[in-house]
Structure formats: C-alpha cells, structure tokens
Amino acid sequence: MFTPTAPPSTPPRTIGRSLQSVFVMAAVSALMLGGLGSRLAYLQLIEGDRNRQLAEENRVRLVSKPPERGQIFDRNGKLLVGSNPSYSLFLWPIALEEAEWPIALQRLSHILRVPVTEIQTNLEKEGYNSPYRVRVARGLTIQQVVALEEARTELKGVEIDAETMRYYPNGDLAAHVLGYTGEITDSELESLEDRGYRMGDVLGKLGVEAALEDQLRGEWGGQQVEVDAMGEVIRILGEKPPIPGDDVILTLNSDLQKKAEQVLGNTKGAIVAMDPRNGEVLAMASRPAYDPNIFSSRISDEQWQQLQAKEHPFLNRALRSFAPASTYKIITTVAGLESGKFSPGTVLPTFPYLEVGGIQFWDWNRAGFGPLSFQGAMTWSSDTFFYQIGRSVGGEVLAEWSRKFGMGQLTGIELAEEESPGVVPDNAWKEEMLDEIWYIGDSINMSIGQGYMQATPLQVAMMFAVPANGGDLVQPHLQLDLQNRREWTKSINLKPSTIQVLREGLRDVVQVGTGAALRTNSIPPVAGKTGTAEDQPRKSHTWFGGYAPADNPEIVVVAFTENSGGGGGSLAAPMVRSILEAYFQGQKTPAPKP
C-alpha cells in the first residue's frame, strides 16, 4: 500500500538575514562613530582652546611671584616699616570647570570665615579660564593653613603659598606719615593696569607708602613649573626672580616722633618738628591715629567699628588748615615793615578795642597795653596794635606776604595728595566764594590770623623757619637727601632790620611775655609765639610755634590742639617745651647713622 510522505521542509534563509545584521551593525557603528566624532568636534572646535590650555596647564603652570616691598627707616637707621613672612591662599581658575567651583568655594568660606560671594567675586574678576593664580586671602593663621592642608584632596585648584606681609613694628607710631598698604581696588586697577598692576596687587594707600609707591614697590617675577597630577612641583622650567623694592630713609627721628605722640596723648591735634635750615621734618604727629597693621590682612568688623568710634583717625591734622590765630602776627609784622608804612622803631597806642565801621574789634585782654613797639606788641600779643597795621597796609598786602611765606599753596612735601593748601583770602577770593567785596574789617581780622585766613601746622612751621634761618622759605620734606642733591631753601628778600625785629619780638615772647612755659633752664633759649583761634560755636583752637636755640636755631616746633579750649600759652606751649627737651637731651647721646 502506498503511503504518501510529507514534502521536505524549506531550508532556512541565511543570505538576507546576514545582510540585515551587517546593516544593523553598520548603523550602530555609524551612530557610535558619529557621536564620538561629534564629541571630538565639540572638544576640538568648541572647547579646543580651553582643553589644550587645561591639558598643558595640568602639566605646566605659571606661578607669579610678587616682589618684597622696600623697607622704611628713620634718619638713624631704626626700622619703621618692614615685611614679615606670611601665608596667602590662591585659586587657580582653570583647574576646575565653572560649575565645579561652588562646592570648593563653600568649603573655603567655612575655613576662612569669609562670605562665598567675596571669594567668588575675586575669582570671577580674573575669569574662570585664566591660567594665573588669584589671591583670595592674605595673612592666613596657622589653624587655617592646617585646615586647608587637611582638605587638600577635596580642594583642587586651591593653593597655599608663602608671601610677605607689611609689618609696622611700632604700631600706630607715625601712622599718618607712614600710611598703610592694601589690595588694589577695581577703580585703582583701571587706572594702574597699564603700569603693570594686576588684580590682587598690594599698593600704598596713604602716607609715604602711597607717595613713594614707585620706589617701594619693586618688580614682579615668576616661575614656569611642571607639576604632577596632584599639583606637586616636579621641576622648574624657567624663572624670573622678583626684584625687591628700594629701601627708603626718612628724615624722621623716631625718638622725637614718639615723644610728640606721647605729648599729644588723647588730645586732638598735631605737632610738627622741622629743621629750619633745610626743611627736614623731624617729627609729624597727629591725633587721633590708627594702627596700620590692621590693613596688612583682612580687617575685622570689630576693628573697623573701633576705628569708626574715633573722630577722623585717618586725617593728618598736620596737613589740614585752621585759623592760625596770633602766630600770624609774624606775617603782619613783615607786611607792615616791608611796606614802608612803618619803621622798626614805630610805636603805636593800643586800646581796649578798635572801632571800624561801627564794629568794635576788641583786644584779647579787653583793656589794651598802652604804647607798644613791634617787639612789645609781639611780646604781649596785642591785637589792637596789629589791627592798626592790617588796616593801614590792607588785605592785598597781607595776602601777598602770606603767599611769600608759602601759605595758600601746597608746601612741596611728599604727601601732597593729603595736604590742604589752606586759604589766603583777598578781594578776588571773597567775591568768588562769597559774592561780597572786601571790607576793612576783613583786613583787621586777617591781621591776627582770624577771619577767612587758614593755614596748616606744617605751613605755620615754615613761617617760623623764616625768622629762624634768617629770611629763607624752606621746603619741608620727609625723604632724607643724603647727597644734598637739592636746594631746599629760597630767600624771600626780607630786610635785615625786619628779621631783627621778628627775632627780638619772638624772643621777648618767651623771656617776658605770653610764652612763659618755655622759660626754663632745661633747654637752650627759645623764641616763639602763642595763638588762640576762635572757632564758634565750638571751643577755641590753641597754637604755639617756636625755635631754638634762639641765637642759632636748629629746630622749629609747632603744636596745635583742635577745639581744646584754653590758650596757646597754657596748652600748646608746654607741648613744645617737652619736644625741645627731648630733642636737646637726645643730642647728648647721638644715634649711629645708617
């Protein structure tokens, strides 16, 4: 029997399926290669510059090195300003992506106790792609250094480096002369960038630190170093050592400066001591003061509040202008004698008051002194005598001689940015400033250093130097001129008889007049003048200016107290006596020259 069999099964297809597999694999490969190519194109074309820089900078870094700032010494070689070793914290912007920095900044903020925004601002100013390090903290404590080292593996792009920090070994001594340093501000950087300054630079802010910045600064150096993956230096590829700034020697005598500040104590005011022969400033004290060390690192809120509690501690009162009061009678005497309207032998009556235009201008003792010569009027500081001189010569002549004595203009001292030129009023000045004409009463007020007349303690010291040195105007200066390259004096062409009247009158002030506080055997003979300036409705200012030895002067001292009340003879004169005692006693054991 025939049994039908099933037809043979169809063999499976292989050719078509193989082709499909090939196409799938090709498509996947194409996608992978396309993605990889796109990524490579992105990395090379879009991020190529940064990645090349990052790859190179991961191996080679530029490490800038700031120069050590020049030191500042007094005339006898005593250190006034130096630099101490310190640690600073730097960020290396390119080490991390911008999105990676916030975590590191949070950790740094916690360790440094500084707001994140403050650190981030410094980083953003330099730019996240910058290869240069950015200083974000100076003067790190040992505790901060330890904490940062412990967190080093978590703080990529964060580096600690040794630098020097400005140090003022005597605290607030001569703070207004020396000034202080601080990091450059945005506005300062904008004007100084073309002179090679960079963000994070330290520069002088006030005083000599600012005035002699170019000498003290020095030149930046740096290193090109190769580092490993941990940031450790493998080798130095190239180096340019920083060039330190020049040292500076000042005219200051630090012992005399210390005495001047002790004498002022908590009294608001200023003391200037100067050599009348060449203008060297031996001491320049101002109160209240501040300690410049607090600005060498980040100033705390507590320190700032303490400064704010003082009354303008950054103001150098030796360079600010006030009514010079009766010390100005030196210029009134010169104006009267040099005008030809009065002779050295002139004698004038004095009165309780002088009435001009219906206004009574009173003498300070409310009684007058009877007939007086120029010397006698200086001795007793008779106001009505000098009213008559001022009324006769007029305001224009007083103004002319004021300018010849250096008033109403900058003195030429290095601290010009902080100096007031003062005010020498005349008819043109009054019309411009007050829209009024000049009256005889204005000349009368000016004749005794009141009214609109304004002078600084330094300018008053220059005024006293003229009779002290025999008729020369000196230019005060703070930088010691060891080679005597400059001529610091110029004659203002006074008659010898005028100088003699001034010297005799100023000597009599101390011998028999209002300067009795200087009548002592502890110092050589002194010549000088008191002054008490009204400052309504506040208390009066007091002045005393003098020089010694009277017959061969080598030092001028001016003391000024602001709104202290009292009189120049009772408050300012004893201060000058203390300075002169310190000066002449110190000469017995002269300090070695630098």
Side-chain angles (χ1 to χ4, degrees):
M1 180 177 175
F2 175 76
T3 304
T5 59
S9 60
T10 306
R13 296 177 55 193
T14 57
I15 297 176
R17 290 180 180 177
S18 296
L19 289 174
Q20 287 178 345
S21 298
V22 171
F23 289 140
V24 170
M25 290 177 66
V28 171
S29 298
L31 287 172
M32 291 176 65
L33 289 172
L36 182 59
S38 299
R39 180 60 178 169
L40 287 172
Y42 172 78
L43 292 174
Q44 290 181 357
L45 300 178
I46 308 299
E47 288 287 309
D49 290 341
R50 183 181 189 280
N51 285 320
R52 278 191 296 273
Q53 188 177 22
L54 182 57
E56 179 65 16
E57 293 296 340
N58 270 330
R59 188 180 67 84
V60 178
R61 296 189 186 181
L62 300 175
V63 181
S64 298
K65 292 289 184 182
E68 183 171 349
R69 202 167 173 84
Q71 300 180 99
I72 302 176
F73 299 90
D74 86 336
R75 65 186 302 113
N76 296 314
K78 294 183 179 179
L79 182 67
L80 296 174
V81 187
S83 299
N84 276 346
S86 177
Y87 288 102
S88 297
L89 182 67
F90 295 86
L91 302 184
W92 190 45
I94 202 170
L96 294 175
E97 293 276 2
E98 181 176 345
E100 296 176 298
W101 273 110
I103 297 175
L105 297 186
Q106 286 287 350
R107 187 66 185 274
L108 287 177
S109 174
H110 176 73
I111 294 173
L112 300 176
R113 300 187 180 278
V114 174
V116 171
T117 52
E118 184 176 322
I119 306 174
Q120 186 172 3
T121 298
N122 288 335
L123 181 61
E124 290 177 345
K125 285 178 184 176
E126 184 66 36
Y128 288 100
N129 290 332
S130 174
Y132 294 101
R133 301 188 309 173
V134 182
R135 185 197 297 109
V136 295
R138 301 167 61 222
L140 298 178
T141 66
I142 296 299
Q143 293 80 2
Q144 289 173 329
V145 172
V146 171
L148 289 165
E149 285 293 342
E150 290 176 347
R152 186 171 184 177
T153 56
E154 307 169 37
L155 295 174
K156 186 180 178 183
V158 176
E159 298 177 356
I160 300 171
D161 205 351
E163 288 190 312
T164 56
M165 189 167 67
R166 211 59 167 157
Y167 173 57
Y168 303 83
N170 303 300
D172 65 358
L173 182 71
H176 295 91
V177 174
L178 301 175
Y180 67 93
T181 60
E183 285 197 19
I184 195 168
T185 64
D186 290 345
S187 59
E188 290 168 337
L189 181 60
E190 188 174 340
S191 62
L192 294 173
E193 197 167 9
D194 59 347
R195 291 173 52 190
Y197 284 85
R198 294 181 56 242
M199 192 184 71
D201 268 359
V202 173
L203 74 163
K205 298 286 188 174
L206 279 179
V208 168
E209 291 276 32
L212 303 183
E213 167 71 11
D214 289 344
Q215 291 175 244
L216 293 166
R217 180 191 178 202
E219 293 183 20
W220 276 75
Q223 294 177 326
Q224 189 178 42
V225 298
E226 184 177 357
V227 297
D228 60 20
M230 295 300 295
E232 298 289 342
V233 175
I234 300 173
R235 58 178 174 144
I236 297 174
L237 301 177
E239 182 174 14
K240 177 191 175 184
I243 300 174
D246 294 331
D247 292 341
V248 168
I249 302 174
L250 300 184
T251 59
L252 291 185
N253 180 319
S254 58
D255 293 333
L256 203 63
Q257 179 75 28
K258 187 177 298 184
K259 186 64 177 180
E261 297 188 8
Q262 289 174 349
V263 166
L264 274 174
N266 295 322
T267 302
K268 187 169 57 174
I271 290 176
V272 174
M274 184 176 71
D275 189 329
R277 300 165 295 187
N278 56 22
E280 291 178 359
V281 176
L282 306 175
M284 181 184 285
S286 179
R287 281 291 186 266
Y290 64 95
D291 184 350
N293 283 301
I294 65 177
F295 295 101
S296 294
S297 57
R298 189 174 186 272
I299 186 171
S300 68
D301 292 337
E302 181 182 359
Q303 289 171 323
W304 182 248
Q305 291 302 321
Q306 289 174 352
L307 283 173
Q308 294 294 92
K310 297 181 179 182
E311 190 170 353
H312 306 297
F314 300 105
L315 192 67
N316 188 346
R317 285 171 166 80
L319 302 179
R320 307 308 297 178
S321 58
F322 308 88
S326 290
T327 64
Y328 183 81
K329 290 171 181 176
I330 291 174
I331 293 179
T332 305
T333 296
V334 170
L337 293 173
E338 293 291 324
S339 70
K341 294 186 175 183
F342 302 91
S343 71
T346 294
V347 174
L348 297 176
T350 62
F351 314 96
Y353 61 85
L354 195 68
E355 186 168 342
V356 177
I359 301 174
Q360 295 177 344
F361 294 88
W362 287 82
D363 213 315
W364 68 268
N365 71 345
R366 316 291 287 185
F369 297 89
L372 290 175
S373 65
F374 273 103
Q375 292 94 325
M378 189 77 76
T379 301
W380 299 108
S381 198
S382 170
D383 292 332
T384 54
F385 180 96
F386 289 101
Y387 291 159
Q388 295 173 77
I389 305 298
R391 179 177 62 181
S392 177
V393 301
E396 293 299 323
V397 173
L398 290 174
E400 177 188 354
W401 278 104
S402 298
R403 296 187 187 101
K404 287 183 179 180
F405 272 76
M407 296 187 178
Q409 56 201 296
L410 299 181
T411 64
I413 198 167
E414 292 88 340
L415 309 182
E417 293 296 323
E418 303 169 47
E419 185 181 15
S420 167
V423 176
V424 174
D426 56 16
N427 183 60
W429 177 89
K430 192 178 179 188
E431 286 186 346
E432 180 182 352
M433 301 301 295
L434 303 176
D435 197 24
E436 290 182 5
I437 63 171
W438 188 266
Y439 298 108
I440 295 176
D442 294 322
S443 299
I444 289 175
N445 277 328
M446 188 173 177
S447 72
I448 62 167
Q450 293 278 183
Y452 308 114
M453 185 68 205
Q454 299 272 302
T456 70
L458 182 61
Q459 289 173 331
V460 172
M462 292 171 62
M463 178 181 71
F464 276 97
V466 172
N469 64 34
D472 288 341
L473 183 68
V474 297
Q475 180 181 327
H477 55 282
L478 287 163
Q479 192 168 7
L480 192 63
D481 186 2
L482 296 175
Q483 287 76 37
N484 295 316
R485 289 189 298 263
R486 296 187 55 179
E487 181 60 54
W488 298 104
T489 64
K490 66 176 181 180
S491 174
I492 59 174
N493 300 315
L494 295 181
K495 300 172 186 175
S497 58
T498 299
I499 297 171
Q500 183 179 355
V501 167
L502 286 176
R503 283 190 156 186
E504 290 177 358
L506 294 171
R507 180 71 184 107
D508 286 348
V509 168
V510 175
Q511 283 187 311
V512 296
T514 57
L518 279 298
R519 206 176 300 152
T520 174
N521 292 326
S522 62
I523 52 178
V526 181
K529 184 72 189 77
T530 56
T532 304
E534 294 182 0
D535 189 33
Q536 299 293 341
R538 295 177 291 269
K539 292 181 179 180
S540 60
H541 307 312
T542 71
W543 293 86
F544 189 89
Y547 55 81
D551 58 346
N552 188 25
E554 57 188 73
I555 182 173
V556 165
V557 182
V558 170
F560 165 77
T561 67
E562 182 180 347
N563 298 126
S564 59
S570 60
L571 289 179
M575 293 182 176
V576 172
R577 171 178 169 168
S578 295
I579 303 304
L580 291 175
E581 287 174 340
Y583 174 80
F584 287 106
Q585 290 170 10
Q587 284 188 333
K588 297 175 184 178
T589 54
K593 290 292 182 180

